Amino acid sequence: MKRTILPVAVALLSGLAAQTAQAAMDEPIQVIRPPQNINLGMVELGKKLYFDPRLSKSGFISCNSCHNLSMGGTDNIPTSIGDKWQQGPINAPTVLNSSLNVAQFWDGRAADLKEQAGGPIANPGEMAFSHTLAIDVLESIPGYVREFKQVFGSDKIDIDQVTNAIAEFEKTLVTPNSRFDQWLLGKKDALNATELAGYQLFKNSGCVACHNGEAVGGNSFQKMGVVEPYKASSPAEGRSAVTGKDADRFNFKVPTLRNVEMTYPYFHDGAANTLTEAVDIMGRLQLGKKFTKEENAQIVAFLKTLTGDQPSFTLPILPPSSDSTPRPQPFGK
Amino acid sequence: MKRTILPVAVALLSGLAAQTAQAAMDEPIQVIRPPQNINLGMVELGKKLYFDPRLSKSGFISCNSCHNLSMGGTDNIPTSIGDKWQQGPINAPTVLNSSLNVAQFWDGRAADLKEQAGGPIANPGEMAFSHTLAIDVLESIPGYVREFKQVFGSDKIDIDQVTNAIAEFEKTLVTPNSRFDQWLLGKKDALNATELAGYQLFKNSGCVACHNGEAVGGNSFQKMGVVEPYKASSPAEGRSAVTGKDADRFNFKVPTLRNVEMTYPYFHDGAANTLTEAVDIMGRLQLGKKFTKEENAQIVAFLKTLTGDQPSFTLPILPPSSDSTPRPQPFGK
């Protein structure tokens, strides 16, 4: 993907910077950008809500339960655990860098983070609450009432404010400064020979057709099982559930490969435990290519260079319930 | 509880400081002291372990699930949720200031924090793992192997190291600087008239017979239901389960009242939802005293001055599993 730059533009840049900029532009993966236009008050409120299990019926499950920010923004189990230990139908995608996704959920049924955030709260198999009940809880907690008023300027809390705040916090969960980004930015010793060989294979074998851009994925829907069918251990049918089109069956949002070392197990059904296994299956099913053991190891080595700085923040302290706060219902019907 | 101080000793102190020191010494509740003799490397390791759900069979439950440091070091539900959503037999006590307890668990069956920390990991109704399996997991994770070696100087990880590190982290979870402590230290406007009236009632009614010292409790076992029997919604029998003595039936460790505003619901069965209810029941059952509505409100106002600075630290990032790490078993047998 060579591009030419007008000599006059090049002349405006210093020599090395121009070469670096040119090199980075030539790559199908782009440096991840820090979040911009962030409302910090909303972030602090959203962070509390993200960690607050009182948004669930049981009082036990928060956003962070399944999108655990200590563990790559996921739960590291094949499919998640919901209210009363219900087994979820699909692997929890990482929340890290999710603001870069073309849409949210594996089937893209939510347009953005705000729309996504309301889903699990009201899903009977996940947090098993309702938006109305969640608002009742929040409005009974003086600390939240004050903070919502400060951020949104209103005496009433509504679900739009809740999901806006959670989404604003999630927008901050980008992971810059991976070794691969350092390399893209010109630090040529950031990657070793094996990792570079892996990246060449990743490009030349066709992986980048889907895994590209800032998030190394997340920007398109693609069929799982192009060359060979994928025998999923999950009933999820992907994009067709949203579009109703048979052609979209088993089309799933391409997952980001940022921090992929931390987001095991892999695929929408969480059936692949290791990167080695995932690379092997992807090669065969999507590309019709059987990577050798050495090639596989090189690609895995490259993938591990995509681990960036993890979100760093103080554990939020949640405002206590009041006497009138509806109590959680962890047991019983 | 007036004490006299030798005039010569008083002369050594400046006037106001002497009065303050004397006043604080006269009180049955003492200022909470910051943690001392702390091994910071062990704290950082213990913090990761405290947040790591890979110490449970399911990969979903960590120490922080039931002793949530965003919520006063407890889970704010009557009895905790264990592996496969099993209902626990007893209310999760707060981990905050637990280093000050005479012993751990409601029945004191663990001598100290280190002994306590091993319990839930291997309890089939809680984390449902075993110490051996937990060590297998930790030894398969390169990031942990390095950190244990750095902290303990050994190539092998063992459960003693694990529980030592968790206990060391827990020792840091003290909550200084409550308004009540500020008052004890001489800031006389730290409490308002209602709160002071509540404190006088708390002292004069006999509450301080059990709720005293640095932790305002935690330093003795006492019978639940002295004047009137307590009709518990839990089968727990308390201290007799440890001592085998019938006289110890329904003797429980007196809970700390530090941060009690955050550690609802109350009592070993979590049956009291509000401080108002808890104060009323304690007055009647333990002291044979029916507090008026105003007295109750004053005591509750005093209790809320015991909320201290909550632990403030960066959410730990856990080292990722390796290909050889045994995978969690959230579902199935």
Side-chain angles (χ1 to χ4, degrees):
Chain A
M1 208 165 84
K2 278 269 169 202
R3 289 181 194 162
T4 48
I5 282 191
L6 290 177
V8 63
V10 173
L12 291 173
L13 300 166
S14 76
L16 184 63
Q19 283 173 36
T20 301
Q22 178 62 38
M25 280 169 60
D26 282 350
E27 300 298 339
I29 298 175
Q30 272 90 52
V31 173
I32 206 161
R33 284 166 300 182
Q36 301 191 18
N37 299 321
I38 295 295
N39 177 329
L40 289 182
M42 215 183 280
V43 167
E44 288 307 309
L45 174 56
K47 188 188 297 172
K48 291 191 183 81
L49 296 167
Y50 189 90
F51 277 85
D52 201 327
R54 286 171 297 187
L55 295 182
S56 70
K57 181 186 178 195
S58 64
F60 190 65
I61 299 180
S62 70
C63 305
N64 194 63
S65 298
C66 300
H67 302 281
N68 191 326
L69 293 170
S70 296
M71 312 198 305
T74 180
D75 53 9
N76 293 150
I77 54 180
T79 60
S80 296
I81 294 170
D83 189 62
K84 299 204 163 41
W85 214 266
Q86 290 174 80
Q87 179 167 5
I90 209 155
N91 183 255
T94 179
V95 68
L96 299 179
N97 308 303
S98 54
S99 58
L100 301 171
N101 288 339
V102 61
Q104 302 302 327
F105 295 115
W106 281 96
D107 58 11
R109 67 183 181 276
D112 53 27
L113 288 174
K114 173 176 156 44
E115 189 180 339
Q116 188 282 333
I121 295 172
N123 186 324
E126 300 185 5
M127 294 163 86
F129 221 29
S130 76
H131 292 173
T132 307
L133 292 170
I135 297 302
D136 287 349
V137 165
L138 295 172
E139 290 210 313
S140 74
I141 299 171
Y144 272 131
V145 170
R146 282 193 299 271
E147 195 163 340
F148 272 90
K149 183 164 185 177
Q150 183 188 45
V151 170
F152 293 102
S154 156
D155 284 322
K156 293 290 290 178
I157 300 175
D158 64 36
I159 192 69
D160 264 0
Q161 296 167 358
V162 172
T163 54
N164 263 322
I166 294 173
E168 193 74 4
F169 169 59
E170 291 175 339
K171 278 166 62 181
T172 69
L173 303 175
V174 297
T175 60
N177 206 32
S178 70
R179 285 199 290 120
F180 189 77
D181 281 358
Q182 293 174 27
W183 180 83
L184 281 177
L185 289 165
K187 187 166 184 279
K188 288 307 165 198
D189 61 353
L191 302 191
N192 65 31
T194 306
E195 292 157 351
L196 276 173
Y199 179 47
Q200 287 307 321
L201 270 169
F202 188 82
K203 284 201 288 191
N204 299 340
S205 308
C207 310
V208 291
C210 301
H211 292 288
N212 56 41
E214 263 187 271
V216 201
N219 52 4
S220 68
F221 296 93
Q222 302 290 343
K223 184 160 178 122
M224 178 69 168
V226 173
V227 180
E228 276 182 48
Y230 178 67
K231 291 181 181 54
S233 52
S234 146
E237 300 219 328
R239 189 75 184 140
S240 58
V242 178
T243 64
K245 292 185 193 158
D246 202 52
D248 285 333
R249 279 190 73 214
F250 303 120
N251 275 13
F252 292 93
K253 190 178 62 192
V254 176
T256 175
L257 297 183
R258 293 271 176 193
N259 312 293
V260 70
E261 173 186 18
M262 303 181 76
T263 60
Y264 53 89
Y266 306 107
F267 306 150
H268 69 274
D269 58 356
N273 266 328
T274 67
L275 278 176
T276 305
E277 199 180 334
V279 167
D280 179 67
I281 294 172
M282 282 283 101
R284 289 188 289 107
L285 270 55
Q286 304 300 99
L287 304 167
K289 197 167 164 69
K290 173 74 188 136
F291 292 118
T292 66
K293 201 172 164 181
E294 191 192 1
E295 288 171 331
N296 186 305
Q298 288 169 338
I299 295 174
V300 169
F302 153 66
L303 291 173
K304 290 185 176 178
T305 71
L306 294 170
T307 303
D309 291 345
Q310 298 299 296
S312 175
F313 57 84
T314 303
L315 183 78
I317 303 298
L318 304 179
S321 296
S322 71
D323 287 5
S324 67
T325 303
R327 288 330 201 214
Q329 303 291 334
F331 305 108
K333 59 173 164 20
Chain B
M1 208 166 84
K2 279 269 170 201
R3 290 180 194 162
T4 49
I5 282 191
L6 291 177
V8 61
V10 173
L12 293 171
L13 301 166
S14 76
L16 184 63
Q19 285 172 34
T20 300
Q22 178 63 37
M25 281 168 59
D26 283 350
E27 300 300 339
I29 298 174
Q30 272 92 53
V31 173
I32 207 161
R33 285 166 300 181
Q36 300 192 18
N37 299 319
I38 294 296
N39 177 328
L40 289 182
M42 214 182 281
V43 167
E44 287 307 308
L45 174 56
K47 188 188 298 173
K48 291 191 182 82
L49 296 168
Y50 189 89
F51 278 85
D52 202 326
R54 287 171 295 186
L55 295 181
S56 70
K57 181 185 178 193
S58 63
F60 190 65
I61 300 179
S62 70
C63 304
N64 195 63
S65 298
C66 300
H67 302 282
N68 192 327
L69 293 169
S70 296
M71 311 197 305
T74 181
D75 52 10
N76 293 151
I77 53 180
T79 60
S80 296
I81 293 169
D83 189 61
K84 299 205 163 40
W85 213 266
Q86 290 173 80
Q87 181 168 5
I90 209 155
N91 183 256
T94 180
V95 68
L96 298 179
N97 308 303
S98 55
S99 58
L100 301 171
N101 287 340
V102 61
Q104 303 301 327
F105 296 114
W106 281 96
D107 58 10
R109 67 183 181 276
D112 53 27
L113 288 173
K114 173 176 155 46
E115 188 180 340
Q116 189 281 333
I121 294 172
N123 186 325
E126 300 185 3
M127 294 162 87
F129 221 29
S130 76
H131 292 174
T132 308
L133 291 170
I135 297 302
D136 286 351
V137 165
L138 294 173
E139 291 210 313
S140 75
I141 300 171
Y144 271 132
V145 170
R146 281 193 299 272
E147 195 163 341
F148 272 89
K149 183 165 184 176
Q150 182 188 45
V151 170
F152 293 102
S154 157
D155 284 321
K156 294 289 290 178
I157 300 175
D158 64 37
I159 192 69
D160 263 1
Q161 295 167 0
V162 172
T163 53
N164 263 322
I166 293 173
E168 194 74 5
F169 169 59
E170 291 175 338
K171 278 166 61 182
T172 69
L173 303 174
V174 297
T175 61
N177 206 32
S178 70
R179 286 200 289 120
F180 189 76
D181 281 358
Q182 292 175 27
W183 181 81
L184 280 177
L185 288 166
K187 186 167 186 277
K188 289 306 164 197
D189 62 352
L191 302 191
N192 65 31
T194 306
E195 292 158 349
L196 276 174
Y199 179 48
Q200 288 306 321
L201 269 169
F202 188 82
K203 286 200 287 190
N204 298 340
S205 309
C207 309
V208 292
C210 302
H211 292 288
N212 55 43
E214 264 186 272
V216 201
N219 52 4
S220 68
F221 297 93
Q222 302 290 343
K223 185 162 176 118
M224 179 68 168
V226 174
V227 179
E228 276 183 48
Y230 179 66
K231 292 184 181 51
S233 52
S234 145
E237 300 219 329
R239 189 75 183 140
S240 58
V242 178
T243 64
K245 292 183 193 160
D246 201 52
D248 286 333
R249 279 189 72 215
F250 302 121
N251 274 13
F252 291 93
K253 190 177 63 192
V254 176
T256 175
L257 296 184
R258 292 271 177 193
N259 312 294
V260 70
E261 174 185 17
M262 302 180 76
T263 60
Y264 53 88
Y266 305 108
F267 305 151
H268 69 273
D269 58 355
N273 266 328
T274 66
L275 279 175
T276 304
E277 201 180 334
V279 166
D280 179 67
I281 294 172
M282 283 282 102
R284 287 188 290 107
L285 271 54
Q286 303 301 98
L287 303 167
K289 198 167 164 68
K290 174 73 188 137
F291 292 119
T292 66
K293 202 173 164 183
E294 191 193 0
E295 288 171 332
N296 187 305
Q298 288 170 338
I299 295 174
V300 168
F302 153 65
L303 292 174
K304 290 185 176 178
T305 70
L306 294 169
T307 303
D309 291 345
Q310 298 300 294
S312 174
F313 56 84
T314 303
L315 184 77
I317 304 299
L318 305 179
S321 296
S322 72
D323 288 4
S324 67
T325 304
R327 288 331 202 215
Q329 303 292 332
F331 305 108
K333 60 176 161 25

